[in-house]
Amino acid sequence: MKLVFMGTPDIAATALTALLQAGHEVVAVFTREDKPVGRKQILTPPPVKVVAQQHGIPVYQPKTLRDGKAEEILRALAPQLIVVVAYGRILPREILTLPPLGCINLHVSLLPKYRGAAPIQWAVLNGDEVTGVTIMAMDEGVDTGDILAVTPVPIGPQETSADVFEKVAATGAKALADTVQALAEGKVQHTPQRHENATKAPPLTKEMALFDF
């Protein structure tokens, strides 16, 4: 499967590694810009960029996807599929409809529950006993596309969001690689989400971290 990968943090790097190990042809990686990190503000590449460079994959770090330049690059690359994992940018319609097999996304909740930026944190905060990963076909909404695959992940009573994140990253990477293979073989079924059951998982705020003694 010839694909383009879009992602930025550690979970995306884990997913990219799984796709490469499964033998998929990743022709390019799109990720966010390098950022200053630590006290010394050392310019540091995103984890996905590090993995891509280790495998000799071309890396693109556009500041926007809406000026036509990224679309031009993607048309030249001609991927069959675009895979997105925590990229951090909204894909415009022109890019969503560009690959023959569309764009798919790894989301770390059991959609339609916990649509948004912080699904793991809200699952732990709400005391859920189970979360999971959803591989979905992307559309122009926020986490609203058809479901392609779902894998539950249990949450232990003493587990923090960091603990759950580690489990979900590994589970999600395997589920993603399996789904891409199934897409290549034409064996994936699209299941529309039940939008009436949707809940939101917005970013946590600093105020939520304050203790009331």
Side-chain angles (χ1 to χ4, degrees), residues 108-141:
V108 287
S109 83
L110 299 174
L111 288 172
K113 194 172 186 180
Y114 297 135
R115 291 176 179 172
I120 293 175
Q121 291 90 335
W122 281 101
V124 173
L125 196 63
N126 290 336
D128 292 0
E129 294 182 355
V130 65
T131 183
V133 296
T134 302
I135 313 299
M136 68 172 182
M138 296 179 69
D139 58 19
E140 293 184 71

Side-chain angles (χ1 to χ4, degrees), residues 50-212:
V50 174
V51 172
Q53 290 178 329
Q54 288 170 348
H55 289 83
I57 301 169
V59 176
Y60 298 92
Q61 296 175 280
K63 291 185 177 180
T64 179
L65 298 178
R66 298 188 178 276
D67 60 2
K69 293 179 182 177
E71 182 186 349
E72 188 178 329
I73 293 167
L74 287 165
R75 289 195 182 280
L77 291 167
Q80 296 165 274
L81 176 74
I82 293 176
V83 177
V84 182
V85 182
Y87 179 32
R89 293 200 188 285
I90 302 288
L91 273 60
R93 184 177 181 277
E94 293 76 18
I95 290 177
L96 287 170
T97 56
L98 190 150
L101 293 175
C103 302
I104 65 171
N105 176 254
L106 164 62
H107 185 74
V108 287
S109 83
L110 299 174
L111 288 172
K113 194 172 186 180
Y114 297 135
R115 291 176 179 172
I120 293 175
Q121 291 90 335
W122 281 101
V124 173
L125 196 63
N126 290 336
D128 292 0
E129 294 182 355
V130 65
T131 183
V133 296
T134 302
I135 313 299
M136 68 172 182
M138 296 179 69
D139 58 19
E140 293 184 71
V142 178
D143 302 328
T144 55
D146 288 353
I147 293 170
L148 308 180
V150 175
T151 306
V153 176
I155 301 175
Q158 302 300 321
E159 286 184 330
T160 66
S161 58
D163 298 326
V164 179
F165 197 93
E166 193 172 322
K167 293 197 299 185
V168 165
T171 300
K174 184 182 185 307
L176 183 65
D178 290 346
T179 303
V180 171
Q181 185 60 41
L183 276 167
E185 297 170 0
K187 296 179 180 177
V188 168
Q189 199 168 21
H190 286 240
T191 304
Q193 292 189 43
R194 300 186 64 176
H195 302 295
E196 68 273 16
N197 294 337
T199 60
K200 294 183 179 180
L204 302 185
T205 64
K206 288 183 180 179
E207 289 73 24
M208 293 175 67
L210 298 175
F211 281 101
D212 182 358

